[in-house]
Amino acid sequence: MQDRTKTKSTRGRPRAFDKEQALQAATRLFQEQGYSGTSLDELANVMGIKRSSLNNTFGSKSELYQQTLAFYEQRMGAQLEQSLFDGNGLQTSLRNYFAKLLEIYCQDEGQGCFFSTSLPCIVRNEPAFKDVFLENQNKLESMFLARLAQEGGGDKTDPVTAQLLVGLQHTLSLRARAGIPEAMLLELSQAALARILLPHACHPTEQPGA
């Protein structure tokens, strides 16, 4: 005898909200359109979340923007520090660092660095972000100073050298954003490093431009 008992169909569980993916999508949109050019409705759409849920989960637009900055810094920073503190000589480590930097900057149609292409545009109208920008600059300088200090020697810990390296990072970001090919930027970075590190900052076992 055929069992005519009807079984209730069960719907699959709703997909869990992935906060990391949502922040990645928001970061991308902020990079493409800037802070003032991005609306909360657009953010909710790309993040796959309702507008009301966005506010409840991430807070205001300003708070979300700060979270995307922190998310970007955490993801990118780990990759770059590994390249910089790789156990090689100073010049080799810096070449590896900037090569990795350009790989990140030039991917996805060349967005450049979130901090240097997006954040400076809003600090005048959004003073709260000025401290965020300055804190990021200080972190970069401290990171380069720490790497320079590993080589020993007073000249190698000169803050000006660290500031020049930060400046090189910024110009590479802006040029990547403008669509300059990665190969050209890599050549520029290597030439600039030879100038910045020559003569006192080169490791004795390394030749400038090697």
Side-chain angles (χ1 to χ4, degrees), residues 73-89:
E73 182 180 29
Q74 182 179 17
R75 292 186 65 205
M76 192 175 80
Q79 299 179 61
L80 293 175
E81 283 196 38
Q82 185 176 358
S83 299
L84 188 61
F85 296 91
D86 57 3
N88 289 306

Side-chain angles (χ1 to χ4, degrees), residues 91-92 94-100 102 165 168 172 182-198 202 207-210:
Q91 187 162 352
T92 299
L94 285 168
R95 286 163 64 98
N96 291 340
Y97 173 89
F98 282 101
K100 184 63 179 179
L102 288 171
L165 291 170
L168 174 59
L172 292 173
E182 183 176 351
M184 291 182 64
L185 295 177
L186 184 59
E187 184 178 352
L188 170 62
S189 70
Q190 293 175 0
L193 284 173
R195 295 290 184 90
I196 293 172
L197 299 178
L198 192 69
C202 287
Q207 295 300 318

Side-chain angles (χ1 to χ4, degrees), residues 59 114 164 170:
F114 191 19
L164 288 172
H170 285 320

